[in-house]
Amino acid sequence: MPRTLPLLCLALLAIMLPLPEARAQQSLDAWPEWVRESMQNEVGKLTFNKVDMPDDTLILKLPGKVGPPETIEGGWYLSVDVGAGVPVDCYLIQGARDLATLTHTMAQLSSDAVAAQHGEMIERQFHFVDSGEVAGLPFLAFEWMYTIRNADGQTLVGFTKTRAASKGQKTFMCAHNNLGYRDTFARLFNGFVANAEVPDATPAPYYEEIVKVDLNGIGSGIGYAAFFAPGAFDEEDLIEIHISEASLMPVDRSTIMTSDSTSVYREDPTGAVSSASEFTVENDEWARELHLVRDPEKENDWAVSGMSQGKEIAITIDGSLEPAGVLRQLEMARDVFAEDTTSVDAVVWMPSIDPTTFVPASMTRDDAETERQAQLQMGPIIYTGLFDEDGNMYNADISIGPVTISIERIWSRGSLRE
């Protein structure tokens, strides 16, 4: 019953309605030959040099000719010319941002700006979505192909690439508008993130990890989890687990569904839940903001409050029920692979399924053919996962009809045995 699946994947099941021929990267076969040839353009070696920043607490390195840093709300903008036809726009934001919303919105704004300069937008078609890790930060990548009609009635072809990475109180984003230079852009962005030294007051977690989510070979998602020791944020003897998840899902050639979710769990060292919160944005609109706490005025029942899908929620759940927290779920996963245990049951709070109750959950050992494999069920969802010695799921697959979601841990640091 690990926490890597529910928040991201279950929220996405309702929006996975892409065209049958959709893929995470689209073919260029239907485009003119000159477009296909231009898409092969690249710049060779990139040499990164320190940027002269007005704020000497920041160390940034970028290749090529970098224009004077410009202040923006909460950060900095830099124009980077590496000989890729037009400059690359890069941003450092000293604060957290929703990756899917940010990546998609920047692609829209960037392509709209080009269209406004040359005529009017005819159509946008997604070309590529991806996710991953760079320098310990989760990132999302998104690319549009688009056509513009200019004043003379000619059709122009444009191509916008965006990438964004965020963790703690620092966010990096770059955008580029020109056919091709896809690998150049990826290398520039990776170097921008990897070479940056940015002050961040966020306490260091004792364990953190990044998981990549493949959404049926069509969309892409990323998840980041951080475990903080007691006293990291206040004087209470509670462990905090922060989970952020983001996804980009093409629905058709010109429509992208975005989902961003942040959850915070506060638990005592035994895994007993003190409180939990979830904040979810879908397609640039609030979808959920929910909180779970004990209510001492109602015989210590659980109180759920907030908003879900535009409806206010204020209900109580029987206080005799004890939902399994993240730490308890890890312990239960370890128990399943002990010699005297083959299955465990619990209840969990999963707002993406039903925020007004605790959902039954079970985990059954299934490692006759595959070592440390178990089958899990949370509410109506059944999936198969692989677990490490800490009881942490590092790989999982879920199939619902024709939809297959694959989860893979791609980076981690620290130890869950604090």
Side-chain angles (χ1 to χ4, degrees):
M1 285 156 288
R3 78 287 167 279
T4 38
L5 172 69
L7 298 177
L8 175 64
C9 296
L10 295 182
L12 287 168
L13 295 179
I15 65 172
M16 292 189 67
L17 301 171
L19 292 179
E21 68 270 22
R23 292 292 182 268
Q25 179 168 335
Q26 295 299 291
S27 169
L28 293 170
D29 291 348
W31 292 90
E33 183 178 354
W34 70 267
V35 172
R36 298 196 300 271
E37 291 179 352
S38 296
M39 286 290 284
Q40 304 305 312
N41 292 340
E42 296 290 354
V43 172
K45 181 180 178 181
L46 299 178
T47 301
F48 287 78
N49 298 302
K50 186 176 179 180
V51 179
D52 186 14
M53 297 292 294
D55 182 348
D56 60 10
T57 67
L58 305 175
I59 296 178
L60 300 180
K61 293 182 180 180
L62 284 163
K65 299 177 181 179
V66 181
E70 300 177 23
T71 58
I72 58 173
E73 183 178 355
W76 298 88
Y77 162 76
L78 302 105
S79 177
V80 188
D81 187 353
V82 292
V86 296
V88 177
D89 299 316
C90 286
Y91 303 82
L92 166 65
I93 302 169
Q94 291 180 274
R97 292 294 187 273
D98 292 329
L99 277 181
T101 301
L102 178 64
T103 308
H104 181 248
T105 299
M106 177 52 64
Q108 288 184 304
L109 293 174
S110 185
S111 55
D112 284 344
V114 174
Q117 290 177 354
H118 297 280
E120 62 176 351
M121 183 75 70
I122 299 175
E123 183 185 24
R124 272 188 289 239
Q125 298 182 13
F126 95 91
H127 179 67
F128 176 73
V129 291
D130 196 15
S131 60
E133 170 270 334
V134 55
L137 277 71
F139 78 82
L140 284 178
F142 180 69
E143 298 175 358
W144 280 122
M145 296 283 290
Y146 56 96
T147 51
I148 300 169
R149 181 178 293 108
N150 69 10
D152 297 328
Q154 296 175 315
T155 298
L156 310 178
V157 179
F159 182 56
T160 292
K161 307 172 283 294
T162 57
R163 289 187 176 229
S166 185
K167 185 169 79 173
Q169 292 298 308
K170 55 187 178 184
T171 299
F172 301 86
M173 181 178 62
C174 291
H176 185 235
N177 263 291
N178 201 7
L179 290 172
Y181 302 103
R182 300 177 69 237
D183 180 64
T184 301
F185 180 68
R187 286 183 287 127
L188 186 154
F189 177 77
N190 288 351
F192 178 42
V193 177
N195 288 294
E197 296 181 27
V198 181
D200 187 347
T202 305
Y206 65 83
Y207 176 76
E208 55 183 334
E209 69 175 32
I210 296 172
V211 297
K212 180 172 182 173
V213 184
D214 181 322
L215 302 166
N216 214 42
I218 300 166
S220 197
I222 199 73
Y224 170 72
F227 290 65
F228 298 92
F233 295 94
D234 53 41
E235 296 182 356
E236 292 191 63
D237 186 27
L238 294 173
I239 292 170
E240 285 198 18
I241 301 102
H242 294 194
I243 300 172
S244 60
E245 299 168 298
S247 67
L248 296 167
M249 168 58 68
V251 177
D252 56 38
R253 293 180 182 87
S254 58
T255 306
I256 306 298
M257 305 291 282
T258 66
S259 178
D260 291 283
S261 180
T262 300
S263 302
V264 178
Y265 301 87
R266 304 187 80 221
E267 307 175 9
D268 71 20
T270 70
V273 175
S274 173
S275 66
S277 299
E278 182 196 325
F279 310 87
T280 299
V281 177
E282 294 175 353
N283 302 318
D284 207 21
E285 294 184 357
W286 276 106
R288 286 187 296 277
E289 179 178 345
L290 294 164
H291 308 276
L292 173 74
V293 295
R294 288 283 190 182
D295 188 349
E297 295 182 0
K298 295 184 178 180
E299 299 181 352
N300 224 28
D301 282 345
W302 293 99
V304 178
S305 62
M307 178 276 294
S308 179
Q309 303 301 334
K311 297 180 180 180
E312 293 291 330
I313 292 180
I315 61 98
T316 58
I317 301 175
D318 184 355
S320 66
L321 298 174
E322 289 287 348
V326 176
L327 299 177
R328 176 60 182 141
Q329 292 175 41
L330 292 169
E331 180 184 351
M332 294 169 74
R334 293 193 294 269
D335 289 345
V336 161
F337 295 103
E339 292 184 1
D340 57 348
T341 308
T342 58
S343 65
V344 291
D345 298 290
V347 293
V348 294
W349 188 56
M350 292 181 60
S352 55
I353 292 182
D354 186 350
T356 66
T357 189
F358 295 146
V359 176
S362 65
M363 178 177 177
T364 303
R365 186 171 176 172
D366 183 25
D367 60 348
E369 297 182 359
T370 304
E371 186 177 1
R372 299 192 66 81
Q373 177 175 279
Q375 186 177 85
L376 301 93
Q377 180 165 1
M378 286 186 167
I381 308 301
I382 300 175
Y383 59 108
T384 301
L386 300 176
F387 295 80
D388 61 23
E389 297 293 332
D390 292 325
N392 194 19
M393 186 177 69
Y394 64 89
N395 185 286
D397 291 305
I398 173 173
S399 297
I400 302 179
V403 174
T404 300
I405 301 173
S406 298
I407 304 169
E408 179 186 7
R409 185 171 66 208
I410 58 175
W411 178 90
S412 66
R413 178 164 56 195
S415 172
L416 281 168
R417 308 294 183 105
E418 186 211 359

